[in-house]
């Protein structure tokens, strides 16, 4: 009979003996460390989708309370969106009402020489030609007036008879031939004097439409005359429709040479310039240099205001007035979310203890309540942003304005609401995370 001996690798082998000796001497700790690592890896954890579903279920479990809680965030976010949107819309509308006339009108005021001064004039009549050559200038004209000719007795008939129009007091000025374009007016009758009349020193005059009505002159085809300062001037036209310098509508306008000879209007006192849109600032800087090289600092330039500064000023004033209200509403909303989240924590102490007993970590408990408060803030931000956009569009439609809304504002409002909810839920979630499972399970809730 053959006896089979055990295999050395199974029983009595050196390897087996060595391993038994290591176990006897306590050398199995590496295996324990691996076991602890595997236990740590096997610790239960919550999937983000589960966290979201749990937080949403917690919010929807008490819909009325959640709706009232989100009301503060809705009011805060809505107020901010309405404030910024209405401010931008109003600023855009106000700037839009700076019409093209105001935005393209530049005036240069020339100081009057002292009486008896022998200094040459700062601006010559021919200086207007240099201004017209500037880039962006559409039309320009020079004017001359004085205190002596501001109130002149003007009559349409040299003989004063019953039933005729008596003399009227009105200003007399002299101007260059491009005055109609400079004041953006139209000839309602006749023509304006031209370069030929200026060279001939012709005794002709053009009346403003109001001056012609006061003097009873409605037709210049019969070459009516006006009389002032003991001199007569033939009326060759009536200028009306003034969009600039409306006071010229009650004035008598003479050619520069005639005004210098007959009325002492020798020096240019004002230059009217019309520019293309957007060129007013550049022309206002260059016009004094073109009119009076070397003495540009002596001239006064009246330029339109910077529309971008006006827009920012209006928008800043409106924003500063109402943004505080929006921030206060956001603070109130955050306090409401914190209070309700804290009450929810106290009501769900038993649930918290059960979750901790089943293996939920403090971080998971805190994350659940943070997710609930963030969800409430996010919902409030979405509703508040939508409400704010609707209000801004409705106000613009009622006022027949063009609504101005920043797309980034509409997208950032829900994020702001979520951030408010996140900050508001920090303390309640930390309090829930600090609860011990045994104490929470003993709670009557």
């Amino acid at each position: 009979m053959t006896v089979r001996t055990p295999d050395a690798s199974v029983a009595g082998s050196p390897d087996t003996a060595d391993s038994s000796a290591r176990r006897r001497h306590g050398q199995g700790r590496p295996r324990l460390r691996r076991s602890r690592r595997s236990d740590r890896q096997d610790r239960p954890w919550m999937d983000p989708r589960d966290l979201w579903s749990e937080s949403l279920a917690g919010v929807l479990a008490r819909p009325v309370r959640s709706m009232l809680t989100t009301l503060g965030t809705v009011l805060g976010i809505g107020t901010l969106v309405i404030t910024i949107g209405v401010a931008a819309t109003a600023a855009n509308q106000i700037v839009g009402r700076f019409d093209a006339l105001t935005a393209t009108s530049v005036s240069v005021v020339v100081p009057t020489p002292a009486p008896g001064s022998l200094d040459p004039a700062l601006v010559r009549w021919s200086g207007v030609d240099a201004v017209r050559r500037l880039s962006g200038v559409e039309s320009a004209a020079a004017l001359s007036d004085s205190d002596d000719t501001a109130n002149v007795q003007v009559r349409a008939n040299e003989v004063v008879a019953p039933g005729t129009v008596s003399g009227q007091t009105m200003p007399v000025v002299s101007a260059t031939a491009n005055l109609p374009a400079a004041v953006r007016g139209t000839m309602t009758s006749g023509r304006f004097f031209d370069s030929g009349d200026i060279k001939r020193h012709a005794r002709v005059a053009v009346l403003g439409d109001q001056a012609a009505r006061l003097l009873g002159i409605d037709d210049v085809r019969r070459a009516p005359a006006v009389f002032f300062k003991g001199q007569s001037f033939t009326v060759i036209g009536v200028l009306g429709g003034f969009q600039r310098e409306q006071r010229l509508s009650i004035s008598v306008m003479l050619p520069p040479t005639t005004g210098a000879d007959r009325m002492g209007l020798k020096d240019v006192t004002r230059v009217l310039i019309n520019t293309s849109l957007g060129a007013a600032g550049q022309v206002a800087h260059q016009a004094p240099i073109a009119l009076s090289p070397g003495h540009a600092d002596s001239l006064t330039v009246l330029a339109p205001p910077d529309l971008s500064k006006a827009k920012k000023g209006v928008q800043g004033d409106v924003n500063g007035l109402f943004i505080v209200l929006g921030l206060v509403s956001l603070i109130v909303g955050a306090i409401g979310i914190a209070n309700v989240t804290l009450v929810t924590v106290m009501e769900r102490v038993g649930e918290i203890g059960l979750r901790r007993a089943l293996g939920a970590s403090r971080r998971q408990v805190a994350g659940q309540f943070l997710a609930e408060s963030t969800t409430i803030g996010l919902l409030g931000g979405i509703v508040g942003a939508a409400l704010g956009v609707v209000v801004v569009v409705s106000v613009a439609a009622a006022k027949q304005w063009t609504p101005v809304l920043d797309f980034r504002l509409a997208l950032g409002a829900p994020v702001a609401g979520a951030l408010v909810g996140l900050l508001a839920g920090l303390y309640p979630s930390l309090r829930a995370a600090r609860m011990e499972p045994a104490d929470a399970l003993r709670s009557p809730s």
Side-chain angles (χ1 to χ4, degrees):
M1 182 176 65
T2 304
V3 178
R4 187 180 297 274
T5 59
D7 188 51
S9 62
V10 176
S13 64
D15 295 339
T16 305
D18 292 343
S19 62
S20 300
R22 283 197 300 269
R23 285 197 298 268
R24 286 195 303 269
H25 290 287
Q27 297 180 1
R29 292 179 183 176
R31 292 187 179 181
L32 291 177
R33 284 197 291 270
R34 288 196 296 270
S35 176
R36 290 175 184 175
R37 192 182 302 113
S38 62
D39 291 342
R40 192 181 301 116
Q41 293 173 353
D42 295 339
R43 180 176 295 175
W45 61 284
M46 183 175 289
D47 188 87
R49 292 173 295 181
D50 296 334
L51 181 63
W52 169 254
S53 61
E54 287 289 338
S55 62
L56 189 60
V59 171
L60 298 179
R62 300 170 180 82
V64 177
R65 177 189 294 182
S66 299
M67 183 171 54
L68 294 177
T69 305
T70 59
L71 186 60
T73 308
V74 169
L75 293 178
I77 296 295
T79 302
L80 287 176
V81 173
I82 292 171
T83 298
I84 298 176
V86 171
T89 302
N92 182 72
Q93 182 67 19
I94 292 173
V95 172
R97 290 192 176 182
F98 283 99
D99 55 10
L101 173 63
T102 304
T104 59
S105 299
V106 177
S107 299
V108 180
V109 180
V110 184
T112 304
S117 175
L118 299 179
D119 295 335
L122 291 176
V123 176
R124 299 181 180 274
W125 290 98
S126 58
V128 181
D129 297 332
V131 173
R132 281 197 290 265
R133 289 192 293 267
L134 295 177
S135 176
V137 174
E138 295 183 349
S139 59
L143 283 169
S144 177
D145 53 13
S146 67
D147 294 337
D148 296 336
T149 61
N151 296 286
V152 177
Q153 191 74 14
V154 181
R155 299 195 310 273
N157 196 325
E158 194 174 14
V159 179
V160 178
T164 60
V165 178
S166 59
Q168 300 288 340
T169 300
M170 56 187 62
V172 177
V173 301
S174 60
T176 54
N178 292 324
L179 184 65
V183 297
R184 306 193 184 210
T186 56
M187 298 301 301
T188 60
S189 179
R191 64 177 181 87
F192 204 78
F193 44 81
D194 53 21
S195 59
D197 297 320
I198 296 174
K199 292 179 180 179
R200 293 193 304 269
H201 296 237
R203 294 172 58 178
V204 295
V206 174
L207 303 178
D209 53 354
Q210 297 295 330
R213 188 174 296 108
L214 291 174
L215 295 174
I217 298 176
D218 54 5
D219 188 4
V220 298
R221 289 178 296 181
R222 298 182 179 181
V226 291
F227 302 88
F228 50 87
K229 296 286 186 178
Q231 304 174 77
S232 64
F233 299 85
T234 303
V235 178
I236 60 174
V238 176
L239 179 61
F242 293 87
Q243 297 184 31
R244 292 185 62 183
E245 299 292 326
Q246 283 82 4
R247 72 184 192 88
L248 292 178
S249 63
I250 57 170
S251 301
V252 179
M253 290 157 275
L254 305 177
T257 51
T258 306
D261 296 341
R262 306 286 178 176
M263 303 296 295
L265 299 173
K266 299 180 180 179
D267 301 318
V268 176
T269 57
R270 280 182 302 154
V271 179
L272 307 179
I273 306 171
N274 293 320
T275 70
S276 55
L277 193 61
Q282 176 183 352
V283 172
H285 176 71
Q286 297 176 348
I289 302 175
L291 288 170
S292 182
H295 300 86
D297 295 338
S298 302
L299 308 182
T300 303
V301 182
L302 304 178
D306 188 351
L307 301 187
S308 60
K309 293 182 179 180
K311 182 176 181 179
K312 291 180 180 178
V314 172
Q315 192 169 355
D317 292 342
V318 178
N319 286 347
L321 181 62
F322 291 105
I323 279 182
V324 176
L325 299 178
L327 294 178
V328 170
S329 300
L330 274 182
I331 294 174
V332 173
I335 295 174
I337 294 176
N339 288 335
V340 172
T341 306
L342 186 59
V343 170
T344 303
V345 169
M346 302 309 296
E347 290 178 349
R348 298 163 64 182
V349 171
E351 177 188 341
I352 296 172
L354 182 59
R355 288 179 180 274
R356 291 295 313 279
L358 292 176
S361 64
R362 298 179 185 272
R363 183 180 301 176
Q364 291 170 354
V365 173
Q368 179 179 349
F369 287 97
L370 272 180
E372 290 185 11
S373 63
T374 304
T375 301
I376 293 176
L378 178 62
L379 294 176
I382 293 173
V383 176
L387 180 64
V389 171
V390 170
V391 171
V392 171
V393 174
S394 300
V395 170
K399 297 290 186 179
Q400 296 183 349
W401 295 349
T402 300
V404 178
L405 285 169
D406 192 346
F407 186 68
R408 296 170 297 179
L409 176 63
L411 294 180
V415 177
L419 182 61
V420 170
L422 177 65
L423 296 177
L426 283 177
Y427 173 72
S429 63
L430 291 177
R431 183 165 180 175
R434 290 172 182 171
M435 290 183 182
E436 295 297 334
D439 297 335
L441 288 174
R442 284 196 298 266
S443 175
S445 62

